[in-house]
Amino acid sequence: IGGRTRLDVAREILLADVARWKPGASVALVAYGHRRMGDCGDIETMSQPAPVQMDSLKAALARLRARGKTPLSGALRHAAGLLPQEGGNILLLSDGAETCHEDPCEVARALHAANANVFIHVIGFGLTDAESQALSCIAEAGGGLMRTAAGAGELQDAVAAFSASSGVTDSELEPKPEVPQSTGPQLVPEAAGPVVIPEPVSAPL
């Protein structure tokens, strides 16, 4: 996209959006498929739930690389385990469907049923129609929102809508954040009072 990988585009947009969050809003970051090829257990907490610290979030996201599998089910369970008892929001950002032989829709349904205050939202970035259908049921089962984005502008809108719906920004009517036009790799933040799971987006465009 404009000479950048989807991962770099997502980093910029998420970082710009999180910079607008209310003071004290909390975030955690979970990544998967970023260290080892072919390992469905490659899921890591990159940053623990805490009020947003942009520098540490940048540093964590700088380490993301697209290397491995897409264990959506395992990542959702992992992220839910980081939420407090009162619940919270999980944002799953992915450019592909589950590749680890589990059903993430059933996992999302079970997590939401176990705690009605856990909401699972999905942003699909550069998905095929079949992948969009596969991911849409995750949000439906998890009581959350589903958005798809083909390019940077749509991703920016989708992330802003998530932040507004999660209550970490003041209004859905706020102007879209300006995405910095830098050339170096920048990093991705994540979801509201919640946990964000960005997949290391694989295919450079």
Side-chain angles (χ1 to χ4, degrees):
I1 299 177
R4 297 175 295 165
T5 66
R6 281 180 285 182
L7 178 56
D8 285 340
V9 170
R11 284 171 173 161
E12 285 193 0
I13 289 170
L14 287 167
L15 204 58
D17 192 84
V18 171
R20 303 165 44 232
W21 286 12
K22 296 176 182 178
S26 180
V27 67
L29 177 66
V30 173
Y32 55 85
H34 62 296
R35 295 174 295 187
R36 299 181 294 274
M37 295 179 63
D39 183 358
C40 288
D42 184 14
I43 300 168
E44 180 185 12
T45 301
M46 306 289 284
S47 64
Q48 294 287 339
V52 173
Q53 295 289 332
M54 298 298 287
D55 288 344
S56 61
L57 196 56
K58 275 187 179 183
L61 289 162
R63 296 192 285 126
L64 287 184
R65 298 293 183 272
R67 291 193 172 102
K69 293 280 193 176
T70 306
L72 300 185
S73 301
L76 290 173
R77 284 192 294 264
H78 185 106
L82 299 178
L83 292 173
Q85 287 187 345
E86 58 268 27
N89 296 280
I90 296 171
L91 173 62
L92 172 65
L93 172 59
S94 181
D95 74 336
E98 172 80 48
T99 61
C100 287
H101 311 293
E102 289 195 80
D103 185 346
C105 300
E106 286 303 316
V107 171
R109 185 172 292 107
L111 292 172
H112 186 56
N115 185 342
N117 291 317
V118 170
F119 301 97
I120 300 172
H121 312 272
V122 178
I123 296 177
F125 190 22
L127 300 179
T128 65
D129 289 344
E131 288 169 338
S132 292
Q133 291 180 4
L135 266 65
S136 65
C137 72
I138 298 174
E140 182 178 355
L145 302 173
M146 170 72 187
R147 292 290 186 102
T148 58
E154 290 179 354
L155 181 61
Q156 190 170 336
D157 289 343
V159 173
F162 164 76
S163 296
S165 70
S166 299
V168 291
T169 53
D170 289 325
S171 168
E172 200 165 351
L173 300 178
E174 290 182 355
K176 291 190 291 187
E178 290 296 322
V179 178
Q181 299 299 313
S182 70
T183 56
Q186 303 196 342
L187 312 167
V188 191
E190 279 302 72
V195 181
V196 178
I197 314 175
E199 175 182 5
V201 184
S202 46
L205 298 180

